[in-house]
Amino acid sequence: MKCRAIILCLVTALLLSQRDGLSEAPEKKVAVESGGIQPASPQFLDPSLPIPTEAHRLALLSAHSLNREGFRIRDGEWASSLHKGEADFLKLTLLEGNHYWFVMASPVQAATIRMTLYDSHGHPVICENRKETAGQIGTQKAIGLIPATSGQYYLGIKFLDSPSDQSLDFSLVSAYK
Amino acid sequence: MLVLLSLLSREVHAETSTNEAMTASQMQGAVFLDSLSMPSPGEVFSALNKNCHPSWASLVTPSAAPVSTDRSQLALGVGVLAADGYIAVQAQDGQQVKNIGMEIMAVAKSLGIGKNLMSRGNSLIEFAKNSAWDSLADELEVTESEVKRTMVEQKDHALVTLTSAAAWLRGIDVATKIILADDSLRGISVIRQPQMARQLSSQIEELPERIKRDGLDSKLIKCLDSVAVNLETMGNLPEEERLSLQKIHRESALMVGEIMASPALPLRKMETGIPTASSKP
């Protein structure tokens, strides 16, 4: 527990130092590659915004690396709770030409989750998969897509298993560029 | 530090996590969230930038909030102003972003939700002064979200739907203008979102009568339904596509003009004239 708190403090300090422009080399590279995009401050560090839940904080922390790659994180979250075996679905409208990432996080440790994107007919779509670990706290998962066509999509999250009997409180954020 | 960076590790590979299709009831029960299910104007413009190269500076129009006591019209006005803010950010027009920020604050004040937003207005002005365009785009989205959050806190949830619908419609109005000015109609695939028009139309239909009293909302429903039909029935031949786009552009521009009109003043002058490839925006 103590170790986890130390890691969390160090990660936050690292992110703060990046926000203040103290970590120059990788930031500059992103700015050139993405057409002058400056990294915005992570939303969980903005004191004027409502205090996020632990799941939301972890999701924003995981998504922060996308922010540094020029992705814009949308100001909103999908928050829900699942019991083992349950699934939830979210409607989305994705636009051709954009690159999207969906990042979910939960404070529940080592949960097995299936995150799937479906087309407008409900058929699964092949996505990029990315392992995000926000200081190895809780469970995180991220999938990405450059849609071939604009239109309606669905995002499904299924809670398959976890070592504990806890229900899965999760938060999902999205990013695009 | 390197150890910490490795903790934020990532591996990217393509995969489909299941072969099972969704059931009809799962599709029916899927959640629709204003903040994530709807593309923001910034998202639409980002996709357009990749498909064609709009001249954003020529799309910036002076934005003045409607002078009205009608809360529905004011909520619609916030949506149009937010979309106008994204256009000004794309055009990198700092003065216009500041003006729009002030207008949004004025409308928020008229709606009785201005107190929470003062810091947002100041941030917009500060970022505009420093030409921090990406921070401005983020701040605009946060400002719009904060207006909506405050509406919900004040049990005015219905107004959120109106703000979202107006922002989406203004996005479509501008997007169709950009696409019509392109010989090959590049970017047309970006706006093929008939389901979004249908969703917004049905959400407005379900609003309480006290919100829908002035007729502006029924016009908006009619406009959204017409946009949906035109997007759904758009042919694949360029001439058919152009005709449908012209209709969508004309109707959405007229609707935006009505939203932004002050009852005692003339309609906001909207360019409803159909752009041609020679009059590129």
Side-chain angles (χ1 to χ4, degrees):
Chain A
M1 200 65 194
K2 213 173 189 179
C3 177
R4 195 187 291 176
I6 291 166
I7 290 173
L8 186 61
C9 288
L10 288 168
V11 169
T12 309
L14 169 71
L15 294 173
L16 275 167
S17 72
Q18 285 165 348
R19 188 176 71 150
D20 293 337
L22 297 175
S23 177
E24 290 297 332
E27 301 286 324
K28 274 189 183 165
K29 194 174 171 209
V30 169
V32 173
E33 284 172 356
S34 54
I37 289 174
Q38 301 291 319
S41 56
Q43 288 156 341
F44 61 89
L45 293 176
D46 187 339
S48 64
L49 291 176
I51 298 163
T53 58
E54 179 62 1
H56 192 197
R57 195 188 64 79
L58 289 174
L60 289 171
L61 189 62
S62 296
H64 184 58
S65 60
L66 290 166
N67 200 213
R68 290 169 59 214
E69 289 169 34
F71 282 87
R72 175 151 288 131
I73 298 165
R74 292 205 58 185
D75 181 43
E77 63 156 339
W78 176 32
S80 189
S81 188
L82 294 171
H83 294 291
K84 272 183 202 169
E86 281 183 343
D88 249 355
F89 298 88
L90 174 71
K91 272 187 197 173
L92 295 166
T93 295
L94 305 183
L95 308 179
E96 184 187 320
N98 281 344
H99 189 177
Y100 293 91
W101 277 99
F102 302 95
V103 182
M104 71 81 66
S106 170
V108 175
Q109 202 72 34
T112 311
I113 288 146
R114 190 163 66 203
M115 190 150 99
T116 313
L117 200 65
Y118 301 87
D119 66 15
S120 59
H121 303 292
H123 299 125
V125 177
I126 294 175
C127 287
E128 294 170 80
N129 212 294
R130 174 166 171 149
K131 193 181 167 198
E132 295 287 351
T133 49
Q136 296 185 329
I137 303 160
T139 304
Q140 291 98 37
K141 206 165 170 65
I143 57 171
L145 180 75
I146 301 175
T149 51
S150 297
Q152 184 151 303
Y153 290 78
Y154 297 88
L155 184 78
I157 292 181
K158 188 165 186 180
F159 179 21
L160 298 170
D161 201 10
S162 88
S164 73
D165 288 332
Q166 264 182 290
S167 60
L168 182 93
D169 292 330
F170 74 85
S171 169
L172 178 129
V173 297
S174 77
Y176 71 93
K177 77 168 176 184
Chain B
M1 201 61 94
L2 282 171
V3 174
L4 283 169
L5 280 172
S6 69
L7 287 174
L8 294 162
S9 67
R10 60 174 197 271
E11 298 161 13
V12 179
H13 58 274
E15 70 165 39
T16 170
S17 49
T18 176
N19 291 320
E20 287 169 33
M22 289 172 76
T23 63
S25 69
Q26 285 172 334
M27 289 168 83
Q28 196 109 40
V31 183
F32 180 89
L33 289 177
D34 183 87
S35 58
L36 291 185
S37 303
M38 278 194 66
S40 70
E43 211 173 316
V44 176
F45 299 159
S46 154
L48 278 175
N49 278 335
K50 293 191 191 86
N51 284 277
C52 45
H53 301 283
S55 162
W56 291 104
S58 65
L59 293 161
V60 172
T61 48
S63 303
V67 181
S68 173
T69 51
D70 180 350
R71 294 175 66 77
S72 308
Q73 190 182 3
L74 292 171
L76 289 163
V78 172
V80 172
L81 286 167
D84 282 349
Y86 284 101
I87 298 168
V89 168
Q90 293 288 341
Q92 305 202 340
D93 184 337
Q95 185 55 50
Q96 182 64 2
V97 179
K98 277 194 261 180
N99 296 345
I100 289 168
M102 309 277 261
E103 291 294 323
I104 293 177
M105 295 307 129
V107 181
K109 212 172 158 192
S110 305
L111 283 166
I113 57 175
K115 213 173 147 191
N116 296 359
L117 291 161
M118 286 318 288
S119 64
R120 293 278 156 234
N122 294 336
S123 300
L124 283 173
I125 291 167
E126 200 54 39
F127 288 139
K129 223 188 271 175
N130 297 322
S131 304
W133 305 114
D134 287 294
S135 302
L136 263 176
D138 287 340
E139 196 64 17
L140 267 172
E141 183 165 351
V142 174
T143 305
E144 190 190 342
S145 307
E146 200 138 313
V147 169
K148 289 174 180 173
R149 253 195 303 269
T150 317
M151 285 170 175
V152 172
E153 275 166 23
Q154 299 194 352
K155 313 233 181 298
D156 256 341
H157 197 278
L159 296 182
V160 173
T161 305
L162 297 177
T163 300
S164 301
W168 185 82
L169 196 67
R170 176 65 174 142
I172 290 292
D173 165 28
V174 173
T176 45
K177 185 172 182 180
I178 291 166
I179 298 160
L180 280 166
D182 188 279
D183 287 328
S184 324
L185 302 180
R186 280 177 301 172
I188 192 166
S189 50
V190 172
I191 61 155
R192 286 192 193 261
Q193 316 161 23
Q195 81 292 343
M196 203 65 254
R198 292 258 178 243
Q199 172 85 35
L200 289 168
S201 165
S202 68
Q203 277 185 308
I204 297 170
E205 192 92 61
E206 286 164 18
L207 294 182
E209 281 308 315
R210 68 181 168 84
I211 300 286
K212 295 195 292 180
R213 62 181 172 220
D214 73 337
L216 200 56
D217 305 279
S218 49
K219 282 184 192 168
L220 184 58
I221 291 170
K222 216 172 138 190
C223 178
L224 289 167
D225 287 342
S226 173
V227 169
V229 168
N230 278 290
L231 288 172
E232 281 159 355
T233 59
M234 197 183 273
N236 286 321
L237 296 171
E239 268 324 296
E240 292 170 344
E241 287 177 331
R242 189 169 285 278
L243 280 173
S244 298
L245 283 174
Q246 285 170 345
K247 202 162 178 227
I248 294 168
H249 177 67
R250 199 165 35 237
E251 290 180 5
S252 55
L254 275 171
M255 192 65 233
V256 170
E258 287 207 40
I259 288 169
M260 299 306 275
S262 300
L265 299 169
L267 286 183
R268 163 177 166 172
K269 191 174 176 289
M270 297 306 297
E271 286 182 43
T272 54
I274 304 305
T276 60
S278 58
S279 63
K280 287 186 190 298

